[in-house]
Amino acid sequence: MQWRGAEVESDGTYPEPESWTPVDVPGRPARFAGADTVAYRTVIEDPLSGPMAHAVLELRGCYGEATVWCDGQRVTTHDAPFVPLRIPLDERLDADGETDVRVVCRRPADGFGGIYGTDAIPAAESVPGIWWDATLRRYPGTYIDRVDVTPRLEDDRGLIDVRATIVADQPIDDRLTVSVRPADRSRGRGMMERTPIEADAGERVTVEHTVEMRDPSLWWPADLGAQNRYDVVAKIEGMETTVTTGFADVRYVDETLTVNGTETTLRGVNLLDATTDDVTRAAEANANLVRTHAHVPSRAVLEACEREGVLLWADLPLTGDVTPAVERGQTLASALIEHYGHAASLAAVGVHDDPVDPFETPLGSGLLDRLRFRWRAWRASYDDANAREIAEALPSSVLAFPVVGPPGIETDAATLYPGWRYGRADDVGRFLNSDVVAEFGAGALAIDDPTELAGFDRRIHDSHVDGGAEASQRYQAHTLKRVAEGLRNEGTSILAVYALRDTSDAGMGVLGAEGDPKQAFDALETAFEPVQATLADPSAAESDVLVHNDLDTRCTGTLVWESSASSGETDVVVDTNATASVATIELPTDGDVTLALSTGDRTIENRYPHGGRDLYKYRGEYPDPPWSGMRPTTRDTNH
């Protein structure tokens, strides 16, 4: 299909611009950056050639409110990018067998634009349009329009609820065949069942059936086990559709996170404009969770999570100072589960991200800044009733986080920025008021002279750093490592860095916009090792050495430490998903401290540039303790 595009008015009328420009669909045409409404046009010629009786135009990733016109007639509207838009063309052909299709995409105006409605994404990357796919599908007769699959675990049984929608070309009095087999075709046995279906010619019917499996193989995050999945095949009259699914049980109860009954810690990264490559990069950084920040990712990203063994936390497209409409939010939440609930990796859904920002301007760590922090946190307010009502549309099979936000409001997951927006990186324990941290980190320049600064606050950066990209990245790496290790030392169940990849020449990512690593990527990879040794207090004269074991097997090995102040070694035994203090060591006033943990045939090193605070351009003074009395009581959140 050849597509053309044009910027048009947002008045809902039939799009007839003076001229059309050739564009790539799917895509985000940069020529329309900043436009509120863009129209796309294609002419589909003879879609029913040969034996084909039906044609459906399927569009995926329609960002914004989409209105579709066929041969001048308005046929449908659509306002959920992650839900496929399917347009039957059978009855819309003109005398020449052609269909003129025009799709008008208008930027969301109801607060549900998500991250693409903020300055975190460059204008050229948030153009209203058809982002993911545009495919013309042809069918010879009776066909399966869609199949939805929902897996459930009950005791030792796996239940797969199958919901198939069939369009009947001729009267049907038959059976729909549903088969289930291991997706890799190498393990386990398949099974096949049939369920009756009746329909008149031209009728659209939905058939529901549940397949029961005994002791199904489970899907696991990559650091805990195999990614077992099953192909579910629905078939009728020679036409079949396959959906791949899996079984996983993720729970967070009484500040304990379990996957399939095994306690673990989720180490995550935020994706600002999620791609399949980002999921691979996250896995390389030792993350077992990605959070698609204030947006729902494409099905391709979801599939990458399934393959890589990375859990997905998907946010609804809702962020910032807006009051969400409950009905609209619940519709999106239900649609997310309906279309993505087949995936074993879908672990959590966030509703409203950062509804307030009391720390828009940076604070240091001196006495006056401590008082300012208290004042801003005390003044912060947010009515969370709508967000919590939206979350009620989510099933118990996923973790629901209605409110993600900063200190000062009641949140289900915290956003913490010590060492960046306020205080010092060493003080993370003083700010921690939740066992779930959805965001932490610091920003850095990717190049010395950035021109595009989408989502990057230069004021905060310049309050910490003098110099170009090298000094900037050094500070970011230091801050991120200190906060990540501090959260693990505190026993946080879920922690996610903000963010994996920049969207411009500078940002909060540990990678540049094209995926090139900053210094912080290595720092994150080290801090996120499933088994790792850390200093409990790197700023003290002496510190305990803690060994973290996020795995489901006992850790045994040897710890060796080396510095100008002391050296030594000790045997290490740490139980599953546990942290143990294994030694107390003296720290030098200058030089490095190196911890080397050997387990089996692998040695994991963790290095601290100690006594060298000049390496990181801190400003201000650091009274001890800097935030005395600031830590609120942790609130239990059960899902």
Side-chain angles (χ1 to χ4, degrees), residues 240-414:
E240 67 178 43
T241 298
T242 300
V243 177
T244 303
T245 191
F247 297 96
D249 182 25
V250 181
R251 302 191 182 196
Y252 175 59
V253 180
D254 296 333
E255 298 189 352
T256 299
L257 191 288
T258 61
V259 178
N260 299 332
T262 298
E263 291 187 26
T264 191
T265 298
L266 297 187
R267 309 173 305 276
V269 295
N270 281 246
L271 307 183
L272 304 187
D273 184 14
T275 68
T276 55
D277 287 343
D278 287 338
V279 177
T280 301
R281 293 162 179 152
E284 291 171 351
N286 289 315
N288 56 13
L289 170 76
V290 294
R291 176 190 175 209
T292 53
H293 186 99
H295 70 289
V296 179
S298 68
R299 286 285 288 266
V301 170
L302 182 70
E303 176 61 23
C305 290
E306 297 279 274
R307 293 192 313 267
E308 295 284 353
V310 175
L311 290 165
L312 172 64
W313 169 342
D315 277 353
L316 296 184
L318 179 63
T319 186
D321 183 15
V322 296
T323 301
V326 172
E327 183 177 357
R328 170 83 163 117
Q330 289 188 334
T331 298
L332 286 174
S334 297
L336 171 58
I337 299 303
E338 180 180 354
H339 289 270
Y340 285 29
H342 66 281
S345 59
L346 180 62
V349 175
V351 175
H352 198 168
D353 168 71
D354 275 334
V356 298
D357 185 7
F359 308 107
E360 183 178 1
T361 55
L363 296 173
S365 57
L367 176 60
L368 289 179
D369 283 324
R370 284 186 292 170
L371 296 175
R372 292 187 183 105
F373 180 91
R374 290 175 180 268
W375 174 249
R376 292 188 193 180
W378 179 78
R379 289 191 63 189
S381 64
Y382 166 63
D383 185 350
D384 60 5
N386 286 21
R388 300 198 180 281
E389 194 171 347
I390 291 171
E392 292 175 2
L394 296 167
S396 60
S397 57
V398 298
L399 309 184
F401 297 108
V403 183
V404 177
I409 63 173
E410 185 177 358
T411 63
D412 304 277

Side-chain angles (χ1 to χ4, degrees), residues 531 547 554-559 572 596-604:
V531 177
V547 173
R554 175 175 289 190
C555 168
T556 59
T558 302
L559 174 73
V572 170
L597 179 62
S598 297
T599 59
D601 57 356
R602 185 163 186 248
T603 297
I604 307 149

Side-chain angles (χ1 to χ4, degrees), residues 153-159 188 212-218 228 230 247:
L153 285 170
E154 292 185 2
D155 300 323
D156 61 344
R157 299 184 304 159
L159 301 175
E212 180 178 334
M213 304 176 64
R214 291 288 179 181
D215 296 318
S217 298
L218 303 181
N228 300 302
Y230 294 90
F247 297 96

Side-chain angles (χ1 to χ4, degrees), residues 84-106:
L85 171 55
R86 291 173 60 83
I87 308 158
L89 301 178
D90 305 1
E91 300 176 1
R92 308 192 186 283
L93 305 180
D94 62 19
D96 296 326
E98 296 182 344
T99 302
D100 183 314
V101 179
R102 303 188 186 192
V103 183
V104 179
C105 298
R106 183 175 61 185

Side-chain angles (χ1 to χ4, degrees), residues 3 12 15 44 46 50 87 168 183 212 252 255 264 305 346 380 457 537 585 589 622 627 634:
W3 290 83
I44 301 175
D46 197 16
I87 308 158
E212 180 178 334
Y252 175 59
E255 298 189 352
T264 191
C305 290
L346 180 62
D457 194 326
D537 187 358
I585 66 174
T589 56
Y622 312 100
W627 305 101
T634 300

Side-chain angles (χ1 to χ4, degrees), residues 25 66 97 118 161 183 269 294 297 300 316 336 365 380 383 388 464 497 503 613:
V25 173
T118 73
D161 297 325
V269 295
L316 296 184
L336 171 58
S365 57
D383 185 350
R388 300 198 180 281
H464 296 293
V497 70
T503 60
R613 290 202 167 182

